[in-house]
């Protein structure tokens, strides 16, 4: 325990230096300083051990359209958490129903467009210019500029020295239901074994701009994307040959006839990359006969779009293989969470992987309540501190920068935000403070001052906290958090191993330099 002489006399200056203190050990938060009388008090910085334990989610999570602001695609395997493979399943709808494709329509090509998220740092962008390009439609002399961006990846940046994946598309043969239906990430969806399209993905996306040499007028301006051709003959028979049929006359009929597509990768290891599901689309390029007033028949180009965006059922299909991993040994799918003695290491992962719990031992609560009653302590700051396990998770994979935190009472999990998040909303409160994320010595701090004051000074039944990897979503116009259930947990790819319970000092004060899961307190005593 560290004694900080007459700490409260310095509170006004400490508050002014909050930004500096936020990066230091033993920092204060506004809540505690506002609620403690600062007259001639001595301050203390103390650490108590906490119970930390793994919580299995049985490798499943709700992963339908209501949860997918983004979606991952790919495969990634490493020795601690095992293999993760993610596919994307979606319905598609006609852009117009009971369509008229004209006379004698024949498809030239069908193109699937995906828009993965990509890096924009100037040193990662490659631009290729062809000054002697001939635009094929009319053989127009032009300039073609292709700008290439690497996609944002999580996992191994290269596979056997390359960044290649083989992306495959299959027809879905199971009806996916309606957008109000809840779908789990481990849902098995039947597929037509015939591949509708396959293309090597080199880990990059590009934009294309083509301008005429004569007057610099744009002939083509294609936004940053990945494009791949699908089987033209399939869409000719599946859609164009059904002109006038009931299956094309309304959305309800169409999604039961053409039930959807699955987008996946062939490989079993590499990386995960993300994309916005509503940005995907399929365009059918075709020609039909157009008859002029003089009877002349001309073959004319046309396009028809299939909508893969909002309004369709989306599913992030996530499959795991944990065989022989430390994760499998530590996280039980059958036994209840060990919140009695805790776990020495915490294995937590997004996208249906394990959550974890942090419990304040009853002996610690009893001790703090006695100190509050008898010694007149005032809690100024309370934080949960969690350290990366420098042995079990010493690698270059990006660590999570945010966590979701939910209070756990005697009855069930609370759906409210931590009270600190609302009480201190106007004081620059940050739920999670991270330190050294790029190193093996990373650690996290979760501010729980209000929660702990309610326990020690009141009669709150809160004893524990449930935590997940993810970030809360905000209203894009106001910045207001949307709620506990509006978060990125369903598609955040991160995972980490954290130090857990100190079995030798459960519920006891521990040295400040300890790296076990701990409660860090700053309190005053008159």
């Amino acid at each position: 325990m560290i004694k900080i002489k007459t700490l409260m006399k310095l509170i006004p200056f400490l508050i002014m230096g909050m930004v500096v203190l936020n990066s230091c050990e033993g920092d204060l938060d506004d809540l505690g300083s506002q609620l403690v009388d600062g007259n001639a008090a001595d301050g203390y910085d103390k650490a108590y051990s906490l119970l930390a334990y793994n919580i299995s989610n049985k490798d499943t999570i709700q992963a339908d359209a209501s949860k997918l602001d983004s979606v991952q695609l790919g495969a990634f395997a490493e020795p601690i958490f095992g293999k993760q493979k993610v596919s994307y399943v979606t319905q598609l709808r006609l852009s117009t129903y009971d369509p008229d494709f004209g006379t004698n329509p024949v498809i030239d090509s069908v193109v699937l467009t995906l828009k993965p998220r990509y890096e924009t740092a100037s040193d990662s962008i490659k631009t290729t210019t062809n000054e002697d390009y001939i635009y094929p439609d009319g053989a127009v002399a032009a300039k073609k500029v292709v700008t290439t961006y690497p996609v944002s990846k999580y996992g191994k940046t290269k596979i056997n020295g390359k960044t290649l994946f083989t992306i495959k598309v299959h027809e879905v043969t199971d009806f996916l239901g309606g957008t109000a239906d809840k779908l789990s990430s481990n849902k098995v969806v039947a597929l037509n074994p015939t591949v509708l399209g396959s293309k090597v993905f080199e880990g990059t996306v590009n934009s294309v701009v083509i301008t005429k040499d004569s007057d610099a007028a744009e002939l083509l301006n294609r936004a940053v994307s990945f494009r791949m051709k699908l089987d033209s003959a399939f869409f000719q028979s599946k859609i164009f040959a059904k002109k006038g049929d009931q299956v094309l006359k309304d959305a309800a009929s169409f999604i039961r006839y053409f039930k959807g597509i699955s987008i996946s990768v062939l490989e079993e290891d590499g990386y995960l990359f993300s994309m916005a599901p509503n940005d995907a689309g399929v365009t059918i390029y075709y020609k039909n006969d157009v008859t002029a007033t003089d009877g002349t028949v001309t073959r004319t180009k046309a396009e028809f779009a299939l909508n893969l965006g909002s309004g369709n059922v989306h599913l992030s299909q996530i499959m795991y293989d944990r065989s022989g991993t430390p994760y499998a040994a530590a996280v039980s799918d059958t036994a209840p969470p060990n919140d009695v003695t805790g776990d020495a290491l915490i294995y937590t992962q997004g996208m249906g992987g394990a959550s974890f719990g942090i419990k304040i031992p009853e002996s610690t609560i009893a001790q703090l309540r006695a100190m509050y009653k008898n010694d007149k302590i005032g809690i100024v700051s309370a934080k949960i501190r969690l350290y990366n396990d420098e042995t079990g998770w010493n690698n270059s994979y990006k660590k999570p920068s945010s966590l979701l935190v939910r209070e756990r009472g005697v009855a069930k999990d609370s759906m409210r935000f931590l009270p600190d998040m609302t009480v201190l909303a106007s004081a620059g409160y940050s739920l999670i403070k991270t330190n050294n994320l790029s190193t093996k010595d990373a650690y996290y701090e979760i501010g729980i001052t209000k929660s702990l004051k309610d326990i020690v000074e009141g009669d709150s039944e809160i004893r524990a906290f449930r935590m997940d990897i993810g970030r809360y979503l905000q209203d894009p116009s106001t910045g207001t958090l949307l709620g506990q259930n509006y978060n990125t947990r369903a598609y955040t790819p991160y995972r980490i191993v954290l130090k857990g319970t100190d079995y030798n000092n459960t519920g006891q004060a521990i040295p400040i330099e300890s790296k076990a899961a701990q409660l860090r307190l700053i309190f005053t005593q008159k």
Side-chain angles (χ1 to χ4, degrees):
M1 180 173 69
I2 297 174
K3 183 175 181 181
I4 309 169
K5 290 295 186 179
T6 60
L7 174 68
M8 296 313 298
K9 295 178 180 179
L10 301 177
I11 286 295
F13 301 101
L14 292 170
I15 294 174
M16 291 175 62
M18 185 67 70
V19 174
V20 176
L21 284 169
N22 281 346
S23 64
C24 303
E25 294 195 5
D27 60 334
L28 307 177
D29 60 49
D30 261 354
L31 178 66
S33 64
Q34 289 168 1
L35 299 184
V36 176
D37 181 3
N39 294 327
D42 289 333
Y44 299 86
D45 189 353
K46 196 170 183 178
Y48 292 85
S49 65
L50 294 169
L51 283 171
Y53 49 93
N54 294 289
I55 301 174
S56 172
N57 293 304
K58 299 184 178 180
D59 283 343
T60 185
I61 191 171
Q62 186 179 339
D64 52 58
S66 68
K67 298 294 182 182
L68 298 179
D69 179 62
S70 179
V71 67
Q72 298 286 336
L73 191 64
F76 173 42
E78 42 80 15
I80 305 300
F81 288 82
K83 183 177 76 174
Q84 180 181 26
K85 191 166 187 178
V86 190
S87 304
Y88 175 54
V89 177
T90 181
Q91 290 175 335
L92 61 173
R93 284 168 162 74
L94 301 174
S95 53
T96 58
Y97 287 93
D98 199 13
D100 183 0
F101 303 117
T103 303
N104 192 26
V106 177
I107 294 175
D108 287 333
S109 63
V110 180
V111 177
L112 169 67
T113 300
L114 305 177
K115 295 185 177 181
R117 292 183 167 86
Y118 55 91
E119 306 290 344
T120 57
S122 58
D123 59 351
S124 65
I125 300 172
K126 179 182 178 182
T127 301
T128 304
T129 302
N130 183 352
E131 298 282 359
D132 300 318
Y133 182 74
I134 302 298
Y135 188 62
D137 189 1
V140 180
K143 178 174 74 172
K144 181 179 182 180
V145 179
V146 178
T147 305
T148 304
Y149 306 82
V151 300
S152 301
K153 306 179 183 71
Y154 178 79
K156 301 176 179 69
T157 56
K158 295 184 182 297
I159 311 168
N160 297 325
K162 300 181 180 180
T163 58
L164 306 183
F165 266 141
T166 304
I167 294 182
K168 304 180 301 176
V169 177
H170 289 84
E171 178 189 11
V172 172
T173 57
D174 282 339
F175 177 55
L176 296 176
T179 53
D181 297 334
K182 293 183 178 181
L183 300 176
S184 296
S185 58
N186 61 350
K187 179 179 174 61
V188 176
V189 177
L191 305 177
N192 186 327
T194 302
V195 177
L196 292 184
S198 177
K199 184 178 179 180
V200 171
F201 175 61
E202 298 182 355
T204 60
V205 288
N206 58 60
S207 64
V208 180
V209 177
I210 300 174
T211 54
K212 293 170 63 175
D213 285 347
S214 59
D215 59 4
E218 279 191 355
L219 298 170
L220 177 70
N221 191 331
R222 183 179 297 154
V224 180
S225 60
F226 169 77
R227 291 162 61 88
M228 62 180 291
K229 287 188 176 182
L230 303 181
D231 186 350
S232 298
F234 170 84
F235 285 88
Q236 183 78 37
S237 62
K238 190 76 175 182
I239 296 178
F240 276 40
K242 297 295 183 179
K243 177 183 175 181
D245 195 293
Q246 177 60 41
V247 297
L248 304 187
K249 292 198 174 186
D250 57 74
S253 299
F254 184 73
I255 61 175
R256 286 167 174 79
Y257 165 65
F258 190 176
K259 299 177 178 66
I261 59 173
S262 167
I263 305 171
S264 62
V265 300
L266 175 65
E267 291 75 12
E268 299 297 315
D269 189 18
Y271 54 85
L272 306 178
F273 64 93
S274 67
M275 62 182 185
N278 291 334
D279 288 345
V282 172
T283 304
I284 300 174
Y285 299 91
Y286 67 100
K287 292 187 179 75
N288 57 17
D289 291 341
V290 175
T291 303
T293 54
D294 62 359
T296 303
V297 177
T298 306
R299 293 294 286 170
T300 304
K301 292 181 178 180
E303 298 179 11
F304 187 82
L306 297 176
N307 173 23
L308 273 64
S310 58
N312 289 292
V313 170
H314 301 322
L315 171 64
S316 181
Q317 195 175 46
I318 310 167
M319 301 300 172
Y320 290 95
D321 182 355
R322 310 285 196 183
S323 304
T325 63
Y327 177 101
V331 181
S332 173
D333 289 342
T334 55
N338 182 15
D339 63 353
V340 177
T341 59
D343 296 319
L345 291 174
I346 299 302
Y347 295 83
T348 186
Q349 181 180 21
M351 299 173 67
S355 310
F356 66 100
I358 295 293
K359 186 175 183 180
I360 305 173
E362 288 295 336
S363 58
T364 300
I365 293 173
Q367 182 180 350
L368 293 176
R369 281 178 169 170
M371 292 168 65
Y372 173 69
K373 179 180 178 181
N374 301 324
D375 302 328
K376 310 303 181 186
I377 70 167
I379 296 172
V380 178
S381 175
K383 298 179 186 298
I384 294 170
R385 183 177 288 194
L386 303 168
Y387 285 90
N388 178 62
D389 178 41
E390 70 277 5
T391 302
W393 199 247
N394 184 9
N395 52 53
S396 60
Y397 304 133
K398 185 176 180 180
K399 297 179 180 66
S401 60
S402 59
L403 296 171
L404 309 173
V405 184
R406 186 176 291 180
E407 293 177 323
R408 302 197 78 181
V410 174
K412 58 182 180 180
D413 291 354
S414 170
M415 292 305 296
R416 71 175 185 177
F417 289 121
L418 290 190
D420 298 67
M421 295 175 68
T422 52
V423 172
L424 293 176
S426 61
Y429 170 81
S430 177
L431 172 65
I432 307 295
K433 294 179 182 177
T434 61
N435 296 267
N436 307 320
L437 282 192
S438 61
T439 75
K440 62 183 177 61
D441 299 314
Y443 66 90
Y444 300 80
E445 287 187 333
I446 301 97
I448 60 163
T449 305
K450 175 60 173 167
S451 293
L452 190 67
K453 288 175 76 69
D454 289 347
I455 295 169
V456 173
E457 301 172 10
D459 57 359
S460 172
E461 68 168 12
I462 300 303
R463 294 294 185 272
F465 302 85
R466 178 191 175 105
M467 302 190 189
D468 290 280
I469 292 179
R471 174 178 54 81
Y472 291 113
L473 296 177
Q474 298 175 309
D475 184 297
S477 58
T478 65
T480 304
L481 296 179
L482 297 175
Q484 273 284 5
N485 282 337
Y486 295 88
N487 57 65
T488 66
R489 184 179 158 216
Y491 51 87
T492 188
Y494 306 121
R495 73 282 314 264
I496 193 171
V497 183
L498 298 168
K499 295 283 190 183
T501 302
D502 179 355
Y503 292 132
N504 296 322
N505 295 289
T506 302
Q508 302 298 315
I510 56 176
I512 289 291
E513 60 271 17
S514 171
K515 289 192 174 182
Q518 60 189 257
L519 174 65
R520 296 294 292 265
L521 290 183
I522 291 178
F523 60 88
T524 63
Q525 181 178 346
K526 292 185 179 180

